[in-house]
Amino acid sequence: MSTENRFFYEPSQGHGLPHNPLNAIIGPRPIGWISSRNAQGQRNLAPYSFFNCFNYDPPIIGFASTAWKDSVANIVETGEFVWNLTTRTLAEQMNLTSAPLPRGTDEFEFAGLTAIAGNIVAADRVAESPVNFECKLTQCIQLTDASGNKIDTWLVLGEVVAVHIEKHLLSAEGIYQTALAEPVLRAGGPSAYYGISDEQRFDLHRPTL
């Protein structure tokens, strides 16, 4: 196959484009809107665009943080955190919680959000969010490059020990309605986000042999 129509680059040498295409290609992505508390009980709430689910049973989710930020420090200290679903109505408030505020500032208060206690973990949930996962830390891994050199990025993995879902997001048959929640997904560039709708849905069934 001809490569004449392919743009090629080696990340270690730079891409030469106006913006790194990596997170636009791998996107849109769910947002890891992570709430935590430190050992002194101070709250923190921050969004992470490198986030996903990695296991069914037990359910394990995770997010990656470039640099050792307050969320990572708090979770390592306490072993607990909460993931909160970002919806279209909460997008602007989610964005506010990404502001580089002084350490110890309560992002719940800054963004005008209501903190509500978890049932199992001490970290607070975003009351306005229709879905919350209470999590216990399973691993915090410092990433390395292909040569084994440690880089300043940390992968935080947690087991979901409690789930909160607003009932209107469940059909009469008990099926979670993804599009109805209007989740916000992070795309590429400095400001791009996407939503989803049932009009964009299509179904595929796994082949059987």
Side-chain angles (χ1 to χ4, degrees), residues 106-188:
D106 189 332
E107 287 84 2
F108 280 88
E109 293 183 1
F110 179 75
L113 295 164
T114 307
I116 184 171
N119 286 31
I120 294 178
V121 306
D124 297 278
R125 299 183 283 125
V126 175
E128 291 81 359
S129 174
V131 182
N132 319 97
F133 292 168
E134 299 183 37
C135 303
K136 288 187 176 291
L137 175 68
T138 59
Q139 292 172 278
C140 181
I141 304 165
Q142 185 173 11
L143 301 186
T144 65
D145 63 20
S147 299
N149 301 307
K150 293 181 178 180
I151 58 178
D152 193 19
T153 297
W154 304 83
L155 174 61
V156 177
L157 298 171
E159 179 179 345
V160 180
V161 296
V163 177
H164 305 259
I165 305 172
E166 287 194 1
K167 291 181 179 179
H168 79 276
L169 296 178
L170 299 174
S171 70
E173 297 78 24
I175 305 299
Y176 179 77
Q177 303 298 296
T178 303
L180 184 60
E182 296 188 297
V184 170
L185 308 170
R186 187 69 169 95

Side-chain angles (χ1 to χ4, degrees), residues 72-129:
V72 181
N74 292 352
I75 293 166
V76 170
E77 279 184 12
T78 64
E80 299 177 337
F81 65 96
V82 174
W83 171 79
N84 305 277
L85 177 67
T86 301
T87 62
R88 184 63 188 89
T89 57
L90 293 171
E92 284 74 16
Q93 287 166 294
M94 175 277 297
N95 192 48
L96 282 175
T97 64
S98 70
L101 302 174
R103 184 176 177 83
T105 303
D106 189 332
E107 287 84 2
F108 280 88
E109 293 183 1
F110 179 75
L113 295 164
T114 307
I116 184 171
N119 286 31
I120 294 178
V121 306
D124 297 278
R125 299 183 283 125
V126 175
E128 291 81 359
S129 174

